[in-house]
Amino acid sequence: MATRAVWKGAISFGLVHVPVALHSATLNTGLDFDWLDKRTLEPVGYRRINKKTGEDIEPDNVIKGIEYEKGRYVVLTDEEIRAAYPRVTQTISIDSFVPNTQIPFIYLERPYYLEPINKGEKVYALLRDALLQTKRVGVARVVIQNKQHLAVLVPSGPGLVLNLLRWGDEIRSWEDLDLPPEGAKAAGVSEKELAMAKELIEDMTGRWDPHQFTDSFKDEILALVERKVKAGQLHTVAQPEAAEEEAIPFGAQILDLIDLLQRSLRQGGAAQTPPDSDGPQGKSGTRALSHKKEPEPGPDSDLRRNGAR
């Protein structure tokens, strides 16, 4: 089944723009327990209540605040919040390319498929195959629905995957955890114990097949639902009208690919929007990544196990 694009824009590296559409690569297969009024079987929505008094609050009396100290808030107006939103662009702007083993799994948050559009198949294939052969992934920034995301562009099979990343300050340090020292000898593990553990791992090694794993809770609940349906325990619930889908703005134009690559190399890879492009103009003030020490590669950091080669 074809999916609706959640975002349209272009991948930008150097002077090259690859027009793409963003499609969610995951399905929400969890169970949603909707709230119903047991007297009328009507949907029950979110209520605004005062947590201290329990009284209902009118929407006009709800304001936004940030807790600065315990019990003390800074109140922000809607205008102040809107002014802080990042500038909306239709560009996945690549800041740098890094080896595909350097980003730990813990940073990966949400994957999206990228599909070439507007006759962008050739330059899409060029970027995909160049990343595969150099064993690199692209570290990028993208704004989706007024929220700025750090992301990694990963080649996977015939396509490109944009995986949103958690920001560095969203990852908790494990310095306070009581972990054994690194290295088998330092942790008190003998050579014989290590050899037996490795043999067991080899015996249990197989091919990755996600379809052999299922959510047993979901299966049990759905089986229960089917039994209730067959028993005639099915009720009609009135649903509110769905809001109309908003159109997704888009603009990007492919120029001569060889010329763009040559110009990008002459300019040292600096990302710019081609002057005759229909894409967004100017640069975002948040384009440059801070120069932080790269995390050391570890056994959990191989992005190739996540689709990169």
PDB file of all heavy atoms in Angstrom, residues 54 68 79 103 112 123 127 142 160 165 179 183 185 212 214 218 225 228 263-264 266 273 276 281 286 289 297 304-305:
ATOM      1  N   GLY A  54      -8.641  20.364  41.086  1.00  0.00           N
ATOM      2  CA  GLY A  54      -9.469  19.412  40.363  1.00  0.00           C
ATOM      3  C   GLY A  54     -10.545  20.063  39.519  1.00  0.00           C
ATOM      4  O   GLY A  54     -11.366  19.379  38.907  1.00  0.00           O
ATOM      5  N   TYR A  68      11.631  26.866  36.191  1.00  0.00           N
ATOM      6  CA  TYR A  68      13.029  27.277  36.290  1.00  0.00           C
ATOM      7  C   TYR A  68      13.657  26.758  37.579  1.00  0.00           C
ATOM      8  O   TYR A  68      14.785  26.294  37.585  1.00  0.00           O
ATOM      9  CB  TYR A  68      13.113  28.798  36.225  1.00  0.00           C
ATOM     10  CG  TYR A  68      14.517  29.337  36.249  1.00  0.00           C
ATOM     11  CD1 TYR A  68      15.341  29.224  35.128  1.00  0.00           C
ATOM     12  CD2 TYR A  68      15.021  29.958  37.387  1.00  0.00           C
ATOM     13  CE1 TYR A  68      16.638  29.713  35.141  1.00  0.00           C
ATOM     14  CE2 TYR A  68      16.320  30.453  37.415  1.00  0.00           C
ATOM     15  CZ  TYR A  68      17.124  30.328  36.292  1.00  0.00           C
ATOM     16  OH  TYR A  68      18.403  30.802  36.316  1.00  0.00           O
ATOM     17  N   GLU A  79       3.460  33.998  21.224  1.00  0.00           N
ATOM     18  CA  GLU A  79       4.307  34.723  20.274  1.00  0.00           C
ATOM     19  C   GLU A  79       5.785  34.461  20.541  1.00  0.00           C
ATOM     20  O   GLU A  79       6.580  34.286  19.607  1.00  0.00           O
ATOM     21  CB  GLU A  79       4.024  36.234  20.360  1.00  0.00           C
ATOM     22  CG  GLU A  79       2.653  36.663  19.834  1.00  0.00           C
ATOM     23  CD  GLU A  79       1.533  36.314  20.797  1.00  0.00           C
ATOM     24  OE1 GLU A  79       1.838  36.008  21.991  1.00  0.00           O
ATOM     25  OE2 GLU A  79       0.360  36.324  20.374  1.00  0.00           O
ATOM     26  N   ILE A 103      28.530   5.962  14.812  1.00  0.00           N
ATOM     27  CA  ILE A 103      27.344   6.452  15.525  1.00  0.00           C
ATOM     28  C   ILE A 103      26.744   5.298  16.326  1.00  0.00           C
ATOM     29  O   ILE A 103      26.217   4.343  15.749  1.00  0.00           O
ATOM     30  CB  ILE A 103      26.303   7.025  14.554  1.00  0.00           C
ATOM     31  CG1 ILE A 103      26.913   8.188  13.769  1.00  0.00           C
ATOM     32  CG2 ILE A 103      25.065   7.496  15.313  1.00  0.00           C
ATOM     33  CD1 ILE A 103      25.978   8.834  12.775  1.00  0.00           C
ATOM     34  N   TYR A 112      13.055   6.879   8.602  1.00  0.00           N
ATOM     35  CA  TYR A 112      12.164   7.241   7.494  1.00  0.00           C
ATOM     36  C   TYR A 112      12.796   6.784   6.189  1.00  0.00           C
ATOM     37  O   TYR A 112      14.018   6.863   6.020  1.00  0.00           O
ATOM     38  CB  TYR A 112      11.942   8.750   7.427  1.00  0.00           C
ATOM     39  CG  TYR A 112      11.102   9.322   8.542  1.00  0.00           C
ATOM     40  CD1 TYR A 112      11.698   9.828   9.690  1.00  0.00           C
ATOM     41  CD2 TYR A 112       9.708   9.365   8.447  1.00  0.00           C
ATOM     42  CE1 TYR A 112      10.936  10.363  10.724  1.00  0.00           C
ATOM     43  CE2 TYR A 112       8.944   9.889   9.465  1.00  0.00           C
ATOM     44  CZ  TYR A 112       9.558  10.390  10.598  1.00  0.00           C
ATOM     45  OH  TYR A 112       8.804  10.912  11.612  1.00  0.00           O
ATOM     46  N   VAL A 123      20.636  11.206  -9.424  1.00  0.00           N
ATOM     47  CA  VAL A 123      21.471  11.786  -8.378  1.00  0.00           C
ATOM     48  C   VAL A 123      21.210  11.076  -7.045  1.00  0.00           C
ATOM     49  O   VAL A 123      22.104  10.965  -6.203  1.00  0.00           O
ATOM     50  CB  VAL A 123      21.217  13.308  -8.270  1.00  0.00           C
ATOM     51  CG1 VAL A 123      19.836  13.610  -7.767  1.00  0.00           C
ATOM     52  CG2 VAL A 123      22.281  13.969  -7.403  1.00  0.00           C
ATOM     53  N   LEU A 127      24.286   9.308  -4.891  1.00  0.00           N
ATOM     54  CA  LEU A 127      24.566   9.503  -3.475  1.00  0.00           C
ATOM     55  C   LEU A 127      24.520   8.174  -2.730  1.00  0.00           C
ATOM     56  O   LEU A 127      25.406   7.887  -1.915  1.00  0.00           O
ATOM     57  CB  LEU A 127      23.550  10.486  -2.873  1.00  0.00           C
ATOM     58  CG  LEU A 127      23.671  10.738  -1.369  1.00  0.00           C
ATOM     59  CD1 LEU A 127      25.060  11.250  -1.008  1.00  0.00           C
ATOM     60  CD2 LEU A 127      22.600  11.732  -0.917  1.00  0.00           C
ATOM     61  N   VAL A 142      17.477  18.597   9.836  1.00  0.00           N
ATOM     62  CA  VAL A 142      16.234  18.751   9.091  1.00  0.00           C
ATOM     63  C   VAL A 142      15.173  19.297  10.047  1.00  0.00           C
ATOM     64  O   VAL A 142      15.165  18.971  11.237  1.00  0.00           O
ATOM     65  CB  VAL A 142      15.777  17.398   8.473  1.00  0.00           C
ATOM     66  CG1 VAL A 142      15.526  16.350   9.553  1.00  0.00           C
ATOM     67  CG2 VAL A 142      14.530  17.579   7.619  1.00  0.00           C
ATOM     68  N   LEU A 160      17.662   4.947   0.451  1.00  0.00           N
ATOM     69  CA  LEU A 160      18.303   5.758   1.481  1.00  0.00           C
ATOM     70  C   LEU A 160      17.338   5.879   2.654  1.00  0.00           C
ATOM     71  O   LEU A 160      16.135   6.090   2.459  1.00  0.00           O
ATOM     72  CB  LEU A 160      18.648   7.153   0.952  1.00  0.00           C
ATOM     73  CG  LEU A 160      19.791   7.242  -0.062  1.00  0.00           C
ATOM     74  CD1 LEU A 160      19.829   8.637  -0.693  1.00  0.00           C
ATOM     75  CD2 LEU A 160      21.122   6.927   0.601  1.00  0.00           C
ATOM     76  N   LEU A 165      18.077  11.276  14.916  1.00  0.00           N
ATOM     77  CA  LEU A 165      18.965  10.968  16.025  1.00  0.00           C
ATOM     78  C   LEU A 165      18.552  11.734  17.277  1.00  0.00           C
ATOM     79  O   LEU A 165      17.964  12.807  17.190  1.00  0.00           O
ATOM     80  CB  LEU A 165      20.409  11.347  15.682  1.00  0.00           C
ATOM     81  CG  LEU A 165      21.062  10.640  14.495  1.00  0.00           C
ATOM     82  CD1 LEU A 165      22.448  11.227  14.244  1.00  0.00           C
ATOM     83  CD2 LEU A 165      21.162   9.149  14.748  1.00  0.00           C
ATOM     84  N   LEU A 179      29.348  -0.664  36.649  1.00  0.00           N
ATOM     85  CA  LEU A 179      29.636  -1.575  35.552  1.00  0.00           C
ATOM     86  C   LEU A 179      31.005  -2.216  35.743  1.00  0.00           C
ATOM     87  O   LEU A 179      31.921  -1.589  36.297  1.00  0.00           O
ATOM     88  CB  LEU A 179      29.603  -0.827  34.220  1.00  0.00           C
ATOM     89  CG  LEU A 179      28.295  -0.095  33.879  1.00  0.00           C
ATOM     90  CD1 LEU A 179      28.445   0.668  32.576  1.00  0.00           C
ATOM     91  CD2 LEU A 179      27.143  -1.084  33.785  1.00  0.00           C
ATOM     92  N   GLY A 183      37.218  -5.132  29.208  1.00  0.00           N
ATOM     93  CA  GLY A 183      38.244  -6.151  29.035  1.00  0.00           C
ATOM     94  C   GLY A 183      37.962  -7.344  29.921  1.00  0.00           C
ATOM     95  O   GLY A 183      37.683  -7.195  31.118  1.00  0.00           O
ATOM     96  N   LYS A 185      39.898  -9.746  31.091  1.00  0.00           N
ATOM     97  CA  LYS A 185      40.851  -9.980  32.182  1.00  0.00           C
ATOM     98  C   LYS A 185      40.595  -9.023  33.340  1.00  0.00           C
ATOM     99  O   LYS A 185      40.581  -9.419  34.511  1.00  0.00           O
ATOM    100  CB  LYS A 185      42.278  -9.826  31.666  1.00  0.00           C
ATOM    101  CG  LYS A 185      43.344 -10.182  32.693  1.00  0.00           C
ATOM    102  CD  LYS A 185      44.741 -10.119  32.074  1.00  0.00           C
ATOM    103  CE  LYS A 185      45.805 -10.509  33.106  1.00  0.00           C
ATOM    104  NZ  LYS A 185      47.179 -10.458  32.511  1.00  0.00           N
ATOM    105  N   GLN A 212      10.080 -13.459  12.678  1.00  0.00           N
ATOM    106  CA  GLN A 212       9.952 -14.598  13.580  1.00  0.00           C
ATOM    107  C   GLN A 212       9.664 -14.143  15.015  1.00  0.00           C
ATOM    108  O   GLN A 212       9.410 -14.965  15.890  1.00  0.00           O
ATOM    109  CB  GLN A 212      11.230 -15.443  13.553  1.00  0.00           C
ATOM    110  CG  GLN A 212      12.410 -14.843  14.301  1.00  0.00           C
ATOM    111  CD  GLN A 212      13.643 -15.720  14.251  1.00  0.00           C
ATOM    112  OE1 GLN A 212      14.445 -15.640  13.310  1.00  0.00           O
ATOM    113  NE2 GLN A 212      13.811 -16.556  15.242  1.00  0.00           N
ATOM    114  N   THR A 214       7.168 -11.840  17.479  1.00  0.00           N
ATOM    115  CA  THR A 214       5.869 -11.184  17.542  1.00  0.00           C
ATOM    116  C   THR A 214       5.587 -10.692  18.957  1.00  0.00           C
ATOM    117  O   THR A 214       6.188 -11.167  19.928  1.00  0.00           O
ATOM    118  CB  THR A 214       4.738 -12.135  17.115  1.00  0.00           C
ATOM    119  OG1 THR A 214       4.724 -13.278  17.988  1.00  0.00           O
ATOM    120  CG2 THR A 214       4.921 -12.612  15.678  1.00  0.00           C
ATOM    121  N   LYS A 218      -0.025  -8.256  22.237  1.00  0.00           N
ATOM    122  CA  LYS A 218      -0.884  -7.795  21.147  1.00  0.00           C
ATOM    123  C   LYS A 218      -1.661  -8.962  20.538  1.00  0.00           C
ATOM    124  O   LYS A 218      -2.867  -8.848  20.264  1.00  0.00           O
ATOM    125  CB  LYS A 218      -0.026  -7.121  20.085  1.00  0.00           C
ATOM    126  CG  LYS A 218      -0.766  -6.736  18.823  1.00  0.00           C
ATOM    127  CD  LYS A 218       0.221  -6.217  17.797  1.00  0.00           C
ATOM    128  CE  LYS A 218      -0.361  -6.317  16.406  1.00  0.00           C
ATOM    129  NZ  LYS A 218       0.611  -5.986  15.367  1.00  0.00           N
ATOM    130  N   VAL A 225     -10.338  -9.884  21.098  1.00  0.00           N
ATOM    131  CA  VAL A 225     -11.251  -9.031  20.340  1.00  0.00           C
ATOM    132  C   VAL A 225     -12.025  -9.853  19.321  1.00  0.00           C
ATOM    133  O   VAL A 225     -13.245  -9.696  19.157  1.00  0.00           O
ATOM    134  CB  VAL A 225     -10.458  -7.904  19.645  1.00  0.00           C
ATOM    135  CG1 VAL A 225     -11.337  -7.169  18.627  1.00  0.00           C
ATOM    136  CG2 VAL A 225      -9.921  -6.921  20.677  1.00  0.00           C
ATOM    137  N   LYS A 228     -14.777 -11.812  20.972  1.00  0.00           N
ATOM    138  CA  LYS A 228     -15.900 -10.967  21.363  1.00  0.00           C
ATOM    139  C   LYS A 228     -16.729 -10.562  20.145  1.00  0.00           C
ATOM    140  O   LYS A 228     -17.957 -10.447  20.216  1.00  0.00           O
ATOM    141  CB  LYS A 228     -15.383  -9.724  22.099  1.00  0.00           C
ATOM    142  CG  LYS A 228     -14.953 -10.006  23.551  1.00  0.00           C
ATOM    143  CD  LYS A 228     -14.490  -8.741  24.236  1.00  0.00           C
ATOM    144  CE  LYS A 228     -14.240  -8.990  25.730  1.00  0.00           C
ATOM    145  NZ  LYS A 228     -15.496  -9.126  26.484  1.00  0.00           N
ATOM    146  N   ARG A 263      31.801  22.159  -8.961  1.00  0.00           N
ATOM    147  CA  ARG A 263      31.728  23.432  -8.241  1.00  0.00           C
ATOM    148  C   ARG A 263      31.809  23.198  -6.736  1.00  0.00           C
ATOM    149  O   ARG A 263      32.426  23.975  -6.004  1.00  0.00           O
ATOM    150  CB  ARG A 263      30.446  24.168  -8.610  1.00  0.00           C
ATOM    151  CG  ARG A 263      30.484  24.773 -10.013  1.00  0.00           C
ATOM    152  CD  ARG A 263      29.105  25.110 -10.525  1.00  0.00           C
ATOM    153  NE  ARG A 263      28.379  26.015  -9.633  1.00  0.00           N
ATOM    154  CZ  ARG A 263      27.086  26.300  -9.785  1.00  0.00           C
ATOM    155  NH1 ARG A 263      26.397  25.727 -10.778  1.00  0.00           N
ATOM    156  NH2 ARG A 263      26.488  27.122  -8.946  1.00  0.00           N
ATOM    157  N   SER A 264      31.182  22.122  -6.250  1.00  0.00           N
ATOM    158  CA  SER A 264      31.228  21.817  -4.825  1.00  0.00           C
ATOM    159  C   SER A 264      32.646  21.514  -4.380  1.00  0.00           C
ATOM    160  O   SER A 264      33.091  21.954  -3.318  1.00  0.00           O
ATOM    161  CB  SER A 264      30.320  20.618  -4.509  1.00  0.00           C
ATOM    162  OG  SER A 264      28.972  20.926  -4.767  1.00  0.00           O
ATOM    163  N   ARG A 266      35.423  22.543  -5.835  1.00  0.00           N
ATOM    164  CA  ARG A 266      36.214  23.769  -5.883  1.00  0.00           C
ATOM    165  C   ARG A 266      35.979  24.645  -4.659  1.00  0.00           C
ATOM    166  O   ARG A 266      36.872  25.333  -4.188  1.00  0.00           O
ATOM    167  CB  ARG A 266      35.895  24.554  -7.161  1.00  0.00           C
ATOM    168  CG  ARG A 266      36.483  23.947  -8.429  1.00  0.00           C
ATOM    169  CD  ARG A 266      36.490  24.965  -9.562  1.00  0.00           C
ATOM    170  NE  ARG A 266      35.153  25.417  -9.915  1.00  0.00           N
ATOM    171  CZ  ARG A 266      34.403  24.851 -10.849  1.00  0.00           C
ATOM    172  NH1 ARG A 266      34.862  23.791 -11.520  1.00  0.00           N
ATOM    173  NH2 ARG A 266      33.210  25.315 -11.128  1.00  0.00           N
ATOM    174  N   THR A 273      22.665  26.875  -1.747  1.00  0.00           N
ATOM    175  CA  THR A 273      21.529  26.656  -2.633  1.00  0.00           C
ATOM    176  C   THR A 273      21.866  27.226  -3.997  1.00  0.00           C
ATOM    177  O   THR A 273      22.304  28.375  -4.093  1.00  0.00           O
ATOM    178  CB  THR A 273      20.279  27.367  -2.090  1.00  0.00           C
ATOM    179  OG1 THR A 273      20.022  26.862  -0.791  1.00  0.00           O
ATOM    180  CG2 THR A 273      19.079  27.108  -2.986  1.00  0.00           C
ATOM    181  N   ASP A 276      19.742  29.512  -9.195  1.00  0.00           N
ATOM    182  CA  ASP A 276      18.532  29.408  -9.996  1.00  0.00           C
ATOM    183  C   ASP A 276      17.655  28.262  -9.548  1.00  0.00           C
ATOM    184  O   ASP A 276      16.833  27.775 -10.290  1.00  0.00           O
ATOM    185  CB  ASP A 276      18.876  29.242 -11.489  1.00  0.00           C
ATOM    186  CG  ASP A 276      19.888  28.133 -11.710  1.00  0.00           C
ATOM    187  OD1 ASP A 276      20.433  27.620 -10.716  1.00  0.00           O
ATOM    188  OD2 ASP A 276      20.132  27.789 -12.881  1.00  0.00           O
ATOM    189  N   GLN A 281      16.046  29.710   0.029  1.00  0.00           N
ATOM    190  CA  GLN A 281      17.251  30.509  -0.099  1.00  0.00           C
ATOM    191  C   GLN A 281      17.878  30.742   1.258  1.00  0.00           C
ATOM    192  O   GLN A 281      17.223  30.699   2.277  1.00  0.00           O
ATOM    193  CB  GLN A 281      16.914  31.866  -0.745  1.00  0.00           C
ATOM    194  CG  GLN A 281      16.298  31.720  -2.136  1.00  0.00           C
ATOM    195  CD  GLN A 281      17.263  31.091  -3.122  1.00  0.00           C
ATOM    196  OE1 GLN A 281      18.425  31.445  -3.141  1.00  0.00           O
ATOM    197  NE2 GLN A 281      16.807  30.178  -3.932  1.00  0.00           N
ATOM    198  N   THR A 286      21.928  27.546  12.208  1.00  0.00           N
ATOM    199  CA  THR A 286      22.294  26.370  12.995  1.00  0.00           C
ATOM    200  C   THR A 286      22.955  25.314  12.141  1.00  0.00           C
ATOM    201  O   THR A 286      22.957  24.149  12.478  1.00  0.00           O
ATOM    202  CB  THR A 286      21.042  25.767  13.652  1.00  0.00           C
ATOM    203  OG1 THR A 286      20.081  25.466  12.632  1.00  0.00           O
ATOM    204  CG2 THR A 286      20.428  26.724  14.644  1.00  0.00           C
ATOM    205  N   LEU A 289      27.906  22.132  12.892  1.00  0.00           N
ATOM    206  CA  LEU A 289      27.916  21.261  14.065  1.00  0.00           C
ATOM    207  C   LEU A 289      29.002  21.728  15.017  1.00  0.00           C
ATOM    208  O   LEU A 289      30.073  22.167  14.601  1.00  0.00           O
ATOM    209  CB  LEU A 289      28.202  19.810  13.649  1.00  0.00           C
ATOM    210  CG  LEU A 289      27.049  19.024  13.051  1.00  0.00           C
ATOM    211  CD1 LEU A 289      27.565  17.661  12.616  1.00  0.00           C
ATOM    212  CD2 LEU A 289      25.931  18.851  14.052  1.00  0.00           C
ATOM    213  N   PRO A 297      34.202   4.189  18.709  1.00  0.00           N
ATOM    214  CA  PRO A 297      33.434   3.049  18.194  1.00  0.00           C
ATOM    215  C   PRO A 297      33.408   1.934  19.209  1.00  0.00           C
ATOM    216  O   PRO A 297      34.393   1.664  19.887  1.00  0.00           O
ATOM    217  CB  PRO A 297      34.212   2.655  16.927  1.00  0.00           C
ATOM    218  CG  PRO A 297      35.062   3.841  16.596  1.00  0.00           C
ATOM    219  CD  PRO A 297      35.375   4.513  17.892  1.00  0.00           C
ATOM    220  N   ARG A 304      26.318  -0.625  10.168  1.00  0.00           N
ATOM    221  CA  ARG A 304      26.096  -1.576   9.083  1.00  0.00           C
ATOM    222  C   ARG A 304      25.079  -2.627   9.485  1.00  0.00           C
ATOM    223  O   ARG A 304      24.404  -3.193   8.651  1.00  0.00           O
ATOM    224  CB  ARG A 304      27.422  -2.232   8.693  1.00  0.00           C
ATOM    225  CG  ARG A 304      28.341  -1.296   7.907  1.00  0.00           C
ATOM    226  CD  ARG A 304      29.698  -1.877   7.693  1.00  0.00           C
ATOM    227  NE  ARG A 304      30.420  -1.987   8.927  1.00  0.00           N
ATOM    228  CZ  ARG A 304      31.687  -2.375   8.996  1.00  0.00           C
ATOM    229  NH1 ARG A 304      32.350  -2.670   7.899  1.00  0.00           N
ATOM    230  NH2 ARG A 304      32.308  -2.453  10.159  1.00  0.00           N
ATOM    231  N   ARG A 305      24.966  -2.896  10.779  1.00  0.00           N
ATOM    232  CA  ARG A 305      23.937  -3.837  11.221  1.00  0.00           C
ATOM    233  C   ARG A 305      22.552  -3.215  11.170  1.00  0.00           C
ATOM    234  O   ARG A 305      21.556  -3.872  11.325  1.00  0.00           O
ATOM    235  CB  ARG A 305      24.222  -4.312  12.647  1.00  0.00           C
ATOM    236  CG  ARG A 305      25.532  -5.079  12.766  1.00  0.00           C
ATOM    237  CD  ARG A 305      25.750  -5.562  14.177  1.00  0.00           C
ATOM    238  NE  ARG A 305      26.995  -6.295  14.302  1.00  0.00           N
ATOM    239  CZ  ARG A 305      27.140  -7.577  14.079  1.00  0.00           C
ATOM    240  NH1 ARG A 305      26.101  -8.287  13.696  1.00  0.00           N
ATOM    241  NH2 ARG A 305      28.313  -8.165  14.223  1.00  0.00           N
TER     242      ARG A 305
END
